[in-house]
Amino acid sequence: MQVDTLGRETDGPLFEAGGNRIKLQVLDENVVRLVYTAGETIPDAESPMVVEQESSGEWDLLERESEFELRTDELRVELDRETGAITWREADGRRLVSEPEEGGKSVVRVSPEELTVGDSDVATPRESLDREAYSTRLDLEFADDEAILGLGQHDDGVANYRGEEQTLYQGNTKVAMPAFLSTRGYGMLWNTGSTMSFHDDQHGSFVWTECDDALDVFFVAGEPDEVISGFRQLTGESTMLPKWSYGYVQSKERYKTADELVEVVDEYREREIPIDCIVQDWQYWPDTEDHHPNFEEWDGPEGDWGQWGQKSFHPDRFPDPSAMMDDLHERNVRLMISIWPNMLAGENYDEMSEAGHILDDEDVPAPGNEQRYYDAFSEEARDIYWNQAKEGLFDHGVDAWWCDSTEPYDPTWTLPTAPEPHRLAQHTTDAFKHVLDPGYLNTYSLHQAKGMYEGQRATTEDKRVINLTRSGYPGQQRYGAITWSGDIEATWERYRTQIADGLQFTAAGNPKWTLDIGAFFAGNADYSWIIDGDFDEGNEDAGYRELYVRWFQYGAFLPLFRSHGTHTAREMWRFGEPGERTFDTLVKFDRLRYRLMPYIYSLAGWETHRDYTMYRHLAIEFPDDADAHEVGDQFMFGPSLMVCPVTEPMYYGPDSEPLDEKAEAREVYLPEGVDWYDFWTGERYEGGQTILADAPLEKVPLFVKAGSVVPMGPVVQHTGERPDADWELRVYPGRDGEFDVYEDAGDGYDYEDGEFAFTPIRWDDAASELTVEDRDGSFPDLVDERDFEIVVVGENRGVGVETDASEDETVTYDGTETTVDVDR
């Protein structure tokens, strides 16, 4: 292959390479797009995933005998003139990653039409399937000491993808995110919507895609947080979710009446257990005579699954939805409701069908072959869908969406036993190809989220969009979407793997991820391999109670704190009464979540305004610590808190079987380069070691990085209570530290117009001085003056959930800089 330049365009050079074309498009000093195609033109960067881009980076091209070199202030990109192989380097020449010497780019023409399965019409955002496309491959040579993170959520608990392979497709418990970041100082984002695979195994180190306009990948240089920021520059800003959504969310499968919803909320309020949201799962819709073929295996309402997908309430069980919403709002609780892209019967289905936007293929393998999904790729269909949700639900006061089954469907139910992973991938993607364009196979949920977001934003600016959805793709964060991990089963192994699965999701650029606390399936069922929990007796089983408490402790440190599942009730009092170990521990961690709200909501603000990530792989925070690369069962919750969930039983197995005596402890790795404080005792440890941490049922090992300033509010019953209360500032000495408190109205979109405030807090360790600097910004409901109770943490001082009554200093802050000397 001989590489020659075809010219220097304003945004980067274009090359001819053995009859193909290579484009290096400079979007920023640290962001360069690589396009390799056999076509005559370079496709636009903008796609359903990528927002409109403007090239802003300065660049130069050097021509040498053996290579071209593209230079920016932060990158050097070397292109071999003989083989076309690319090497990516930092500006100082340090190699980041490269293709093999012989070249690593290839494209093979494919027909999107021939890749489809069956004879049905296929939904696509394009005009036609009759277009030129390619399967693509990019081979890479990694350094021995780098870790690879990202790729999405893939059911395997992998902490580091070196030496691994992964197929990226959407499924009930799989989420494809075509991006990875490296601890070596770079990341790569593929501009694709098709099935993709990552390999670093016996077959080589490469990324393959099935059906694209070109090999199209964005290279982003920088430290992990800078790479993630680059991904969001490309795919869109993460929107603010409402503040209430960071409180406790109670859900189960399912509440059957309006009265039951209100009664559960009243029980929380009477017991003084904090809660901000309750969830109405499916089957709230009207009945129908159209029985689902698999009904006998389910607990449907009044004898059938009803008008599944209809976005309106059952007239008898929810006789006055507006009054129900008023009752919930009077109790300072919001309602999230599930809606579905599939429609079995009802007015919504009839309207969508008459408009010609139902994807219906009886040959698709799925429960009952009821594949009546709406075409979310169509703008008209999305508008119809939103208007149905608005008129049937939102206009009654519903606050939030739970968009279930947005893969858009799960054909794995039809398999009799658990399949081998590659067979499952083939089975699932072939099913999708009956109804979806193979070039956009992974993007249905992105279009669904877009329709819900744009519809609600056009309706009102007073409520922020929040959309809990079972699938995800880069760009979904700009639509108020938060992905949950799907219908998982209650086993200790599944619980353990979820931790790393979620960390890999957020490492790919979208910070909004969560799961069903306690797992969706508590027990087992003979008719599907998917329903495989270990606890048939649910909350009556001491083994499940132990697992649930541990899962709840973990969930208290996720972006969305939500309990949900079937087979057994999930309200806290179902796990004991006051004075009992399980109940008291659940309430304790619920209250801790609310005490940490100033810290948590600040992290939420950082995600929007600073491209931050709240739920963090240790390797993002400590990229140079090789031991941290391999840790998949600990994580950073913001810059200060390291959470170490307990992922093995200590007391009971299934069926309440007592276990042989086990140590109430777990091993914890403390990353090097910083000291760590035990949150519960104040004991200080040196980093770079593994310790045995105390972990009885009442405690999850929780460590705080030296130099941290952690703002904590009072115990409240909901996030809107006592907005002007004093805050405790816990200072963890040992090095200088800082924390920027973020505040805004908590709902609505005025923050987009600058109505928010940051309060910078700085700790000078040598001088033992805490400075609260001038507040930056304002908004109408800002609390102008607040007392900060400062506690310098030490052994048995400033520890645990409760407020420390012996603060070192109290500062009254009115928005102007104040400094206090703290004796210690």
Side-chain angles (χ1 to χ4, degrees), residues 36-181:
Y36 181 66
T37 180
E40 291 295 318
T41 60
I42 303 298
D44 292 336
E46 186 178 356
S47 70
M49 179 176 73
V50 176
V51 298
E52 184 177 356
Q53 298 291 309
E54 291 185 9
S55 181
S56 61
E58 298 292 327
W59 61 276
D60 192 15
L61 184 69
L62 306 180
E63 300 188 32
R64 303 190 182 95
E65 183 177 348
S66 61
E67 67 183 15
F68 298 97
E69 182 181 275
L70 174 74
R71 286 194 171 190
T72 74
D73 285 346
E74 297 189 32
L75 271 175
R76 287 167 51 181
V77 187
E78 298 170 355
L79 176 63
D80 190 288
R81 297 183 76 145
E82 183 176 345
T83 68
I86 288 178
T87 298
W88 304 86
R89 300 184 185 274
E90 291 181 330
D92 63 5
R94 174 178 171 269
R95 188 184 82 93
L96 295 172
V97 70
S98 57
E99 298 172 22
E101 289 184 3
E102 64 273 18
K105 296 176 290 296
S106 64
V107 292
V108 177
R109 281 187 171 87
V110 296
S111 164
E113 191 167 21
E114 291 177 3
L115 288 173
T116 62
V117 177
D119 300 324
S120 62
D121 293 333
V122 171
T124 175
R126 305 287 285 270
E127 292 183 1
S128 171
L129 290 172
D130 184 16
R131 63 179 189 271
E132 189 171 82
Y134 307 91
S135 72
T136 79
R137 174 166 166 157
L138 179 62
D139 286 73
L140 298 167
E141 292 185 341
F142 298 120
D144 291 340
D145 61 349
E146 69 181 297
I148 298 295
L149 314 177
L151 301 179
Q153 169 205 299
H154 294 291
D155 270 358
D156 48 21
V158 172
N160 176 4
Y161 274 107
R162 295 304 312 278
E164 302 282 346
E165 64 87 21
Q166 190 57 257
T167 303
L168 277 66
Y169 65 94
Q170 309 290 18
N172 185 338
T173 58
K174 278 182 68 77
V175 181
M177 300 282 281
F180 70 74
L181 67 80

Side-chain angles (χ1 to χ4, degrees), residues 274-337:
I275 184 174
D276 265 87
C277 179
I278 193 165
V279 181
Q280 178 57 55
D281 199 354
W282 68 337
Q283 300 181 6
Y284 56 83
W285 40 68
D287 298 336
T288 179
E289 295 303 316
D290 184 11
H291 292 278
H292 193 282
N294 287 350
F295 160 66
E296 293 300 328
E297 300 166 342
W298 292 82
D299 177 25
E302 281 70 55
D304 63 58
W305 276 9
Q307 297 178 20
W308 192 2
Q310 173 71 18
K311 294 175 282 296
S312 59
F313 289 99
H314 191 288
D316 297 327
R317 293 182 286 115
F318 299 88
D320 191 341
S322 295
M324 174 188 72
M325 291 308 309
D326 288 344
D327 288 343
L328 292 174
H329 291 162
E330 286 172 5
R331 291 156 173 79
N332 294 293
V333 167
R334 271 73 171 191
L335 181 72
M336 175 183 284
I337 195 164

Side-chain angles (χ1 to χ4, degrees), residues 344-618:
L344 291 186
E347 294 178 358
N348 287 175
Y349 168 75
D350 292 341
E351 180 184 21
M352 194 70 77
S353 180
E354 289 169 6
H357 296 305
I358 291 292
L359 311 176
D360 193 350
D361 190 330
E362 294 183 356
D363 295 328
V364 180
N369 292 327
E370 296 287 358
Q371 294 312 307
R372 301 172 186 170
Y373 287 79
Y374 89 101
D375 180 4
F377 296 105
S378 162
E379 182 177 0
E380 181 182 62
R382 293 195 300 268
D383 289 345
I384 293 172
Y385 191 86
W386 163 253
N387 285 326
Q388 292 173 349
K390 175 183 178 297
E391 293 171 7
L393 303 171
F394 194 70
D395 285 351
H396 290 295
V398 166
D399 301 288
W401 308 108
W402 174 11
C403 291
D404 207 339
S405 194
T406 52
E407 300 80 32
Y409 52 83
D410 179 22
T412 57
W413 288 91
T414 61
L415 297 173
T417 58
E420 183 272 335
H422 289 91
R423 164 136 165 61
L424 180 59
Q426 188 71 51
H427 177 78
T428 304
T429 55
D430 279 356
F432 283 12
K433 289 174 188 173
H434 280 267
V435 291
L436 301 181
D437 185 324
Y440 297 87
L441 209 64
N442 284 333
T443 67
Y444 185 95
S445 67
L446 180 63
H447 291 83
Q448 158 83 344
K450 173 184 171 74
M452 294 303 297
Y453 180 81
E454 292 181 347
Q456 184 172 322
R457 285 297 304 263
T459 301
T460 180
E461 293 285 287
D462 295 334
K463 279 187 178 180
R464 293 177 188 168
V465 179
I466 175 169
N467 170 4
L468 180 67
T469 183
R470 200 172 72 180
S471 193
Y473 215 60
Q476 215 158 277
Q477 72 277 355
R478 67 182 184 258
Y479 296 135
I482 179 167
T483 297
W484 104 94
S485 65
D487 297 342
I488 52 177
E489 72 280 4
T491 68
W492 284 91
E493 174 64 15
R494 173 65 88 173
Y495 164 45
R496 182 190 64 78
T497 60
Q498 287 281 285
I499 300 168
D501 292 346
L503 293 170
Q504 300 291 20
F505 178 95
T506 60
N510 186 333
K512 303 293 198 294
W513 182 88
T514 191
L515 47 62
D516 292 345
I517 291 172
F520 184 68
F521 299 114
N524 201 340
D526 294 335
Y527 60 86
S528 175
W529 63 275
I530 295 174
I531 305 175
D532 195 25
D534 284 345
F535 305 94
D536 290 339
E537 299 302 316
N539 58 35
E540 297 298 319
D541 188 331
Y544 183 66
R545 289 191 176 200
E546 181 182 350
L547 174 61
Y548 186 84
V549 167
R550 293 306 195 184
W551 217 314
F552 193 91
Q553 290 169 335
Y554 164 53
F557 299 96
L558 289 176
L560 187 75
F561 179 30
R562 167 183 163 273
S563 171
H564 179 66
T566 191
H567 298 151
T568 191
R570 306 302 172 99
E571 297 85 14
M572 289 186 213
W573 55 89
R574 312 295 186 184
F575 295 85
E577 289 293 335
E580 296 183 28
R581 207 174 181 190
T582 51
F583 176 85
D584 288 351
T585 302
L586 295 175
V587 174
K588 171 183 174 180
F589 277 85
D590 188 26
R591 289 175 176 162
L592 176 58
R593 174 78 173 198
Y594 280 81
R595 286 225 60 208
L596 287 170
M597 197 55 61
Y599 177 82
I600 294 169
Y601 195 63
S602 294
L603 303 183
W606 297 5
E607 287 182 344
T608 294
H609 296 282
R610 299 177 177 178
D611 293 334
Y612 190 69
T613 301
M614 182 186 304
Y615 181 61
R616 305 166 66 76
H617 196 297
L618 293 188

